[in-house]
Amino acid sequence: MAYDFQVTVDCAHPHDLADWWAEALGWSVEPSDEAFIRRMVAEGQATEEDTTTHRGVLVWRLGIGIRHPESGRRILFQRVPEPKTVKNRVHLDVYVGEQREAEAARLVGMGAKELFRGQQGPYKWITLADPEGNELCLQ
């Protein structure tokens, strides 16, 4: 049986990080359904503390997703209380081909940090950290 999945990134500031990754990947941040959120609060299924505003829009406090514009694949950014302390055991490899150097410079300009450059045979990659320290590799 084949399963579908999403990748979830634990972070301190999910809405800011979702914005960063959406711009980095050319994906879209999922729009907020403010009417639905207000209805859930009014019905007692959520509280005001479950919400916040981001860029002037009412959103769920704990998380937000981004989606690939064609496939609909999803990455969820989820607030957690603890800070990142060690290297990720799972990370995204972003295939950019010959644009590797330009993409690395663009992402560093957006707040990423270069961590490592690697090569194994003909395969090369640049390991970066997003603004909260989550690793990604440009290949």
Side-chain angles (χ1 to χ4, degrees), residues 73-120:
R73 290 277 183 231
R74 184 175 199 249
I75 301 174
L76 175 68
F77 296 87
Q78 174 178 277
R79 181 185 307 260
V80 295
E82 68 278 353
K84 182 178 182 303
T85 58
V86 297
K87 183 183 182 304
N88 293 21
R89 295 293 300 261
V90 175
H91 66 268
L92 298 182
D93 286 345
V94 180
Y95 295 99
V96 297
E98 297 303 316
Q99 306 305 317
R100 190 171 33 255
E101 293 297 331
E103 279 300 296
R106 182 177 75 88
L107 296 179
V108 167
M110 290 171 48
K113 179 180 176 186
E114 185 173 321
L115 300 177
F116 178 78
R117 287 176 177 257
Q119 180 172 349
Q120 185 173 30

Side-chain angles (χ1 to χ4, degrees), residues 30-39 57-58 60:
E30 294 176 337
S32 179
D33 186 342
E34 293 183 84
F36 175 76
I37 294 171
R38 285 188 185 93
R39 191 172 74 245
V57 176
L58 183 67
W60 293 113

Side-chain angles (χ1 to χ4, degrees), residues 6-26:
Q6 75 179 4
V7 175
T8 301
V9 178
D10 291 347
C11 56
H13 305 284
H15 298 278
D16 293 334
L17 203 56
D19 289 345
W20 188 90
W21 277 92
E23 185 176 343
L25 297 175

Side-chain angles (χ1 to χ4, degrees), residues 14-70:
H15 298 278
D16 293 334
L17 203 56
D19 289 345
W20 188 90
W21 277 92
E23 185 176 343
L25 297 175
W27 291 25
S28 298
V29 175
E30 294 176 337
S32 179
D33 186 342
E34 293 183 84
F36 175 76
I37 294 171
R38 285 188 185 93
R39 191 172 74 245
M40 292 298 99
V41 171
E43 292 175 3
Q45 296 194 46
T47 67
E48 291 290 337
E49 291 76 31
D50 294 330
T51 70
T52 190
T53 55
H54 179 69
R55 296 186 182 204
V57 176
L58 183 67
V59 295
W60 293 113
R61 179 180 300 279
L62 293 182
I64 185 70
I66 65 172
R67 288 200 182 263
H68 185 277
E70 295 170 10

